[in-house]
Amino acid sequence: MSTSNPSAQVPPPTGRPARLPARTVVAVAVLLLIPCAALAAVPMYSRETPELWGWPFFYWFQVLWVVLTPIATYAAYLLINRARGHR
Amino acid sequence: MSAAADTGINGVELTVVLFFFVIVTFGGFLAARWRRGESMHSLDEWGLGGRGFGTVVTWFLLGGDLYTAYTFVAVPAAMFATGAVSGFFAVPYTIVAYPIVFVFLPRLWSVAHRRGYVTPADFIRGRYGSRGLALAVALTGILATMPYIALQLVGIQAVLDTMGLGGSGNTFVRDLPLIIAFAVLAAYTYSSGLRAPALIAFVKDTLIYVVIVVAIIYVATKIGFGPMFDGAKTQMAKTNPTTNAPTGTFIAGDTTYWAYATLAFGSALALFMYPHAITAVLSSRRRSVIRRNTAILPAYSLMLAMLALLGFAAIYEVAAGKMDVFGQDGKANAQLAVPHFFQAVFPSWFAGVAFAAIAIGALVPAAIMSIAAANLFTRNVYREFLKRDATPKHEAQVSKIVSLIVKFGALLFVLGLDRQNALNMQLLGGVWILQTFVSIVAGLYTRWFHRWALLAGWAAGMIYGTVAAYRQEVPVVVTKLVNGEAATSVTGTRHFGSPLGNFPFTDTKVYIAATALLINVLVAIVVTLVLRAVKAPAGADETEPTDYHADAPSTTVVAAVERELAATEGEVTSTSGPGRDAQP
C-alpha cells in the first residue's frame, strides 16, 4: 500500500523494525509472565504463615509483587529499547 | 458509638475541603491555556489534550483516572464488610493489568496515532470496516462508563455525609453541595477539555499520597499491623446471623481460589477496555510513554493496597469503640468506614485534607469519563449515523455538549434513583466492557476473526453476563441505630448481589465477566469458522501492518531526516505515504 519512492534513501521518520529478535521476545515474555504466574497461584500464597512484621503471608506476598512487577516491566521496556537500537 | 450522635457540620473539615475545591476550580479553568494547541476546536485538542502528554503527565492522568474516589471508598468498604475476596483482589488486579497492557496498548496507541483514531470504536471501524461492530463497542463503552461516573458521586456523598452535610431533611438542601460541585466540574471540563483533569490530577494525587502515608504511619505506630490483622481475622470468622455463614474471608480459602483469581485477572483485562483509560493512553505524546507508565503506575497500586488495609484498621477501631459506620440517616453503611476512620483518629484539619483528596479524586475521573463517553458518542454514533460530513470543529462542539449531558445524567441517576442501582450498573459495566476485549485486542494482531462473528460473540457474552449477574439474589440487610443499639433486619432480597456466579455445570464460583468472556471467545471462533467456510465478505481493513509499530518522530530523528532530505533535495519528492500525513 505504501507509495514511498523506491529511490528515497531516507526511511520514513515513523518507521520501526517490525520484528524483534527471538531472544528479546522470549526474555520479555518471561519477564512479563512471572508476575502474572505468581499472582495467579492463589492456593500457593493463600496462607497465614510465614508472617512478616505482623503481616500474614497472603497480604505481604501480594504487596511484594506490587514492588517487583514494575521492575519486570521496566526491564522488559529496556530490553525492547535496546533491541530496537534506541537511546 | 459516639460519632453518630453528633450531627452538626464540622466547620474545620468543611473549610479545608472548600479551600482545595477552590484551588482545583481555578486550575480547571486555567488548564485551557496549558500547552495550548492552535485551537481548541477539534477532538484531538479538546478530547485528547492535543495528544501531547509526556510520561509524568500521563502518569498523573492515568493514576487519577483509574484509581478513583469510588475505589478509595469501595475497596476499604469491601474489606471492612466481607474481607479479602471482595476487597483485596483489587491489589493483584491492578498489578497484573500492567504486564498485560505492556503487550498490546503500544500497538493500539500506534495505530490510533497514525490513523487519527480518538476512540476504541474508531479503531474497530477502521480495522474491520464494520459500522455495526464499531457501534456495539461504542455503546458498550458508553453504557459501562455512565454508572461509573454516577459512582464517583457516591464517593463524594460519603465524604459530605461524614462532614455532617447529609442530615437535613430537605432533599434539595442535602444534595446542593453535590450539585454545585458537579456544575463547576461540568463548566471547566466544557472549556478546558482533557487538560482540566490532567492538571487537577496533580493536586488530587499529591493529597492522596500524603494522606495514605500518614494513615499507614498511624496504623503502624498506634495500632500495630499484628493487632490489626488479628482483629480482622476475628471479625471475618464471626457468624453472620442472617446467613449463618462466616462474615467474610480473611484469606482466600479452598472454595474461593477461582473466585479470587478470576476477579483479579478478569478485572485486569477489562481495565484498559474502559473508554476513559483508552482516552488517557491516546493522549500521550509517544509510544514509549505507555511502556514507561506500566513501570510507574504500580505506585498507585501500592497506595491502593495500603488503603484497602484501612478497612481492617476501621474494624479495629470499631471494636475499640472509637468509631462506627452509621450515616446521617441512621443506617449502617460500610462505605463510611474510611471517612469515619479519618474523622475518628485524626485532627479535623487533617481529616479535611483526606476528604478533599477523596472529593477531588471523584472529579478527575468523572471529567475524563464524561469526555471519553462524549467522544464515543460524537465519533461513533453522531458522525457515523447522523451527520457524515461533520467538521472537526463541529465534532468538538457536539462532544462538549454531550459531556454536559452525560454528567447531568449521572447526577440525576444518583439523586433520583436508589444508590444500589448505580452499584448494580457498575457491576454490570465491568461484565459488559470486558466483552469488547476480543474485538479490540485480537484486532490489534490479526484479522482472522470475522466481524460478524465478533459481533455474535459480543452479544453472547453480554446476554450471558447480564442474566448471570441478575440471578445473583441476596438478602437486603439493614442495620439501624435504635436508641443507641444496633438493630439488624432483613427487608427482602435484591438481584445483582454478587459479581461471582457458578461456572456453568459446576459449583465453583468464578467472576461472571470471565465466564462471559470465555463464551464470547468460543462463539467468535465457531462463527468465524462457519463464516469463512461460506466465504462471507470480510470487510475492508484501512490499516497497514506498519501502523501498529508507528511512533511519533522524536526531535533528533526529525532533525536527521531533515538534514538528509536537504542533502538529497530534488531527487526525493515524497517520503511519506497517504496515511503518514497525520503526524503533528
Side-chain angles (χ1 to χ4, degrees):
Chain A
M1 292 285 283
S2 174
T3 57
S4 44
N5 187 336
S7 70
Q9 298 298 304
V10 186
T14 55
R16 273 213 176 181
R19 293 261 165 237
L20 288 167
R23 221 163 17 119
T24 310
V25 173
V26 171
V28 166
V30 169
L31 279 172
L32 297 181
L33 280 173
I34 289 172
C36 294
L39 288 167
V42 186
M44 189 269 292
Y45 63 79
S46 207
R47 46 190 288 178
E48 285 184 43
T49 51
E51 284 192 2
L52 182 71
W53 303 316
W55 288 55
F57 185 76
F58 180 75
Y59 291 94
W60 71 255
F61 178 82
Q62 292 181 75
V63 172
L64 178 68
W65 282 100
V66 180
V67 182
L68 295 180
T69 307
I71 298 173
T73 49
Y74 194 70
Y77 163 76
L78 290 179
L79 279 177
I80 290 177
N81 261 5
R82 203 171 58 182
R84 294 229 157 107
H86 262 246
R87 275 157 289 176
Chain B
M1 304 278 158
S2 58
D6 80 87
T7 48
I9 292 174
N10 188 320
V12 178
E13 288 171 0
L14 188 60
T15 308
V16 173
V17 171
L18 281 176
F19 169 75
F20 283 108
F21 186 74
V22 170
I23 287 185
V24 299
T25 303
F26 274 107
F29 282 109
L30 286 177
R33 298 159 171 273
W34 179 41
R35 295 164 178 261
R36 192 181 189 134
E38 281 159 27
S39 86
M40 282 292 268
H41 302 307
S42 76
L43 277 191
D44 271 10
E45 284 299 326
W46 182 83
L48 289 180
R51 296 188 194 249
F53 294 142
T55 304
V56 174
V57 180
T58 303
W59 182 69
F60 275 110
L61 187 63
L62 269 171
D65 192 14
L66 303 177
Y67 302 79
T68 69
Y70 174 67
T71 322
F72 298 153
V73 170
V75 170
M79 294 287 281
F80 177 83
T82 52
V85 172
S86 53
F88 210 70
F89 84 87
V91 173
Y93 150 33
T94 53
I95 279 303
V96 296
Y98 297 113
I100 293 170
V101 300
F102 182 97
V103 177
F104 70 81
L105 266 190
R107 290 177 82 92
L108 183 63
W109 182 91
S110 287
V111 70
H113 182 80
R114 180 69 76 86
R115 298 284 160 186
Y117 299 147
V118 178
T119 69
D122 281 351
F123 164 65
I124 297 297
R125 172 82 171 83
R127 177 63 152 165
Y128 298 101
S130 169
R131 297 166 75 194
L133 189 58
L135 182 67
V137 169
L139 291 182
T140 312
I142 294 171
L143 265 178
T145 308
M146 293 280 282
Y148 219 154
I149 302 173
L151 280 183
Q152 302 311 318
L153 293 163
V154 173
I156 301 185
Q157 271 180 333
V159 168
L160 292 176
D161 189 277
T162 307
M163 290 194 297
L165 283 173
S168 162
N170 184 324
T171 318
F172 181 70
V173 173
R174 188 185 67 203
D175 294 324
L176 194 60
L178 202 58
I179 296 169
I180 294 172
F182 242 48
V184 172
L185 168 74
Y188 60 66
T189 312
Y190 183 91
S191 70
S192 306
L194 194 63
R195 286 179 171 85
L199 200 61
I200 295 172
F202 284 91
V203 180
K204 174 223 157 189
D205 294 331
T206 309
L207 289 181
I208 287 281
Y209 279 112
V210 169
V211 166
I212 296 300
V213 167
V214 171
I216 284 303
I217 291 172
Y218 173 87
V219 170
T221 57
K222 295 290 166 91
I223 300 178
F225 288 112
M228 181 190 78
F229 282 112
D230 289 343
K233 189 181 174 187
T234 313
Q235 168 69 18
M236 290 306 146
K238 275 186 194 160
T239 304
N240 178 338
T242 49
T243 58
N244 277 326
T247 302
T249 40
F250 177 59
I251 281 173
D254 300 349
T255 54
T256 48
Y257 291 153
W258 280 105
Y260 195 79
T262 52
L263 273 170
F265 278 79
S267 309
L269 295 178
L271 182 62
F272 278 88
M273 294 297 112
Y274 274 106
H276 58 272
I278 294 185
T279 295
V281 166
L282 297 189
S283 71
S284 60
R285 180 164 54 212
R286 291 175 58 81
R287 191 177 148 102
S288 56
V289 167
I290 302 157
R291 286 201 167 130
R292 271 190 223 139
N293 260 283
T294 62
I296 54 179
L297 276 167
Y300 285 94
S301 306
L302 190 61
M303 174 195 75
L304 183 63
M306 300 304 147
L307 198 63
L309 292 180
L310 291 190
F312 281 178
I315 291 176
Y316 181 90
E317 298 292 4
V318 168
K322 282 178 89 173
M323 61 170 273
D324 60 41
V325 291
F326 291 102
Q328 298 283 330
D329 58 3
K331 289 180 190 165
N333 177 0
Q335 303 207 329
L336 297 173
V338 155
H340 282 196
F341 172 80
F342 280 107
Q343 192 166 48
V345 306
F346 290 114
S348 287
W349 70 268
F350 189 75
V353 174
F355 297 164
I358 296 175
I360 299 169
L363 300 179
V364 173
I368 306 172
M369 287 167 190
S370 68
I371 289 170
N375 288 349
L376 277 171
F377 176 83
T378 307
R379 296 280 292 202
N380 309 108
V381 180
Y382 183 79
R383 198 186 69 158
E384 193 67 49
F385 293 95
L386 300 173
K387 193 169 170 61
R388 301 298 300 259
D389 56 349
T391 62
K393 186 174 177 177
H394 187 67
E395 276 183 17
Q397 195 55 42
V398 172
S399 252
K400 284 172 152 188
I401 291 165
V402 173
S403 84
L404 292 182
I405 297 172
V406 164
K407 279 196 277 285
F408 189 64
L411 193 59
L412 283 184
F413 202 97
V414 166
L415 300 185
L417 296 168
D418 183 9
R419 177 191 305 166
Q420 190 60 49
N421 282 311
L423 293 166
N424 294 347
M425 288 284 289
Q426 150 70 1
L427 164 64
L428 275 176
V431 174
W432 290 342
I433 200 69
L434 190 55
Q435 306 316 315
T436 63
F437 186 86
V438 193
S439 303
I440 294 174
V441 176
L444 289 169
Y445 292 90
T446 172
R447 284 217 46 190
W448 182 82
F449 285 104
H450 194 281
R451 51 187 173 158
W452 299 338
L454 289 168
L455 200 54
W458 168 84
M462 293 289 279
I463 292 167
Y464 169 82
T466 308
V467 172
Y470 176 81
R471 288 173 55 187
Q472 305 309 314
E473 212 170 343
V474 293
V476 180
V477 182
V478 176
T479 305
K480 270 192 167 167
L481 206 54
V482 181
N483 300 328
E485 294 281 320
T488 302
S489 58
V490 178
T491 60
T493 61
R494 63 179 180 85
H495 295 283
F496 305 107
S498 163
L500 301 171
N502 284 343
F503 191 77
F505 313 114
T506 69
D507 287 331
T508 308
K509 292 257 183 234
V510 300
Y511 184 29
I512 290 165
T515 314
L517 179 66
L518 187 66
I519 292 170
N520 182 338
V521 173
L522 291 177
V523 170
I525 290 174
V526 170
V527 178
T528 296
L529 290 172
V530 172
L531 288 171
R532 290 188 151 235
V534 301
K535 297 200 166 33
D541 179 6
E542 69 174 30
T543 67
E544 292 171 39
T546 54
D547 287 350
Y548 296 88
H549 299 277
D551 197 357
S554 73
T555 40
T556 50
V557 174
V558 171
V561 169
E562 278 169 356
R563 268 198 309 277
E564 290 193 50
L565 269 175
T568 54
E569 208 168 355
E571 186 188 340
V572 181
T573 51
S574 164
T575 55
S576 53
R580 300 211 169 96
D581 301 330
Q583 304 298 338

